[in-house]
Amino acid sequence: MLDGLGSMLELDIEASRRWYVLQCKPRECERAVEQLANQGYQGFVPTLRREILRRGKRTVVVEPLFPHYIFVQLCTKHDNWAPIRSTRGVAKVLRFGELPLAVPDAIVDALQARETGQDAGSENPTALFAIGQDVLINEGPLAGLDAVVAARDGTERVVLLLKLLHQEQRVSMPIQSLKISD
């Protein structure tokens, strides 16, 4: 009888677990998730793979999808929330008024599914410059002109559409001589 009561209590705890949002200190999302795991809490930080220019070369980086925010799964009845506020990397529990901000399970499930799908397709990071994106040329003889990205031209160059003399011209430019237009 007591064993049946214990399993019912476990089912009640699992059923009442919800995802909550924590705000983290700058660049400490991973540390916060690790420290929460050391305390027995399940944390999750959604990430994004994207291309950046570093020292003139395109590299792929993995960074938090929501900088400074992570999710943690807690039960309002059975979990002790006090250690969370003093966990290394955690700044505060997000609240809506006086209550902690609960996130629907479907949203976190979708983010976790996206994360596992992203790992499977790791060769497809978010591009540094997307086709159709407005850019500004900041180097060379065409510096200061606005253009639109038309296509990729290898790994270090893109093809741009420029409007010169009332006509669209296609020009191939190195990636490092471009920046995203404001």
Side-chain angles (χ1 to χ4, degrees), residues 50-62:
R50 68 181 190 102
E51 288 181 348
I52 63 166
L53 279 179
R54 187 175 286 157
R55 297 186 187 118
K57 301 219 186 239
R58 280 187 357 197
T59 59
V60 176
V61 295
V62 177

Side-chain angles (χ1 to χ4, degrees), residues 22-25 28 31-33 36 70 84-93:
L22 302 179
Q23 184 176 8
C24 294
K25 296 174 183 171
E28 296 208 5
R31 172 184 273 175
V33 169
L36 288 167
I70 63 171
I84 292 173
R85 291 189 299 267
S86 61
T87 299
R88 290 186 74 183
V90 174
K92 65 181 178 180
V93 177

Side-chain angles (χ1 to χ4, degrees), residues 94-138:
L94 283 190
R95 298 181 178 277
F96 187 72
E98 294 296 316
L99 300 174
L101 181 62
V103 178
D105 288 342
I107 291 175
V108 177
D109 290 343
L111 288 169
Q112 287 174 328
R114 179 192 163 281
E115 191 88 4
T116 56
Q118 179 176 300
D119 289 342
S122 61
E123 64 278 349
N124 296 325
T126 302
L128 181 62
F129 296 112
I131 294 174
Q133 184 174 20
D134 293 328
V135 294
L136 177 69
I137 301 171
N138 61 0

Side-chain angles (χ1 to χ4, degrees), residues 10 15 24 67 77 97-98 106 113 127 168:
E10 286 178 24
C24 294
K77 297 176 187 173
E98 294 296 316
E168 281 190 351

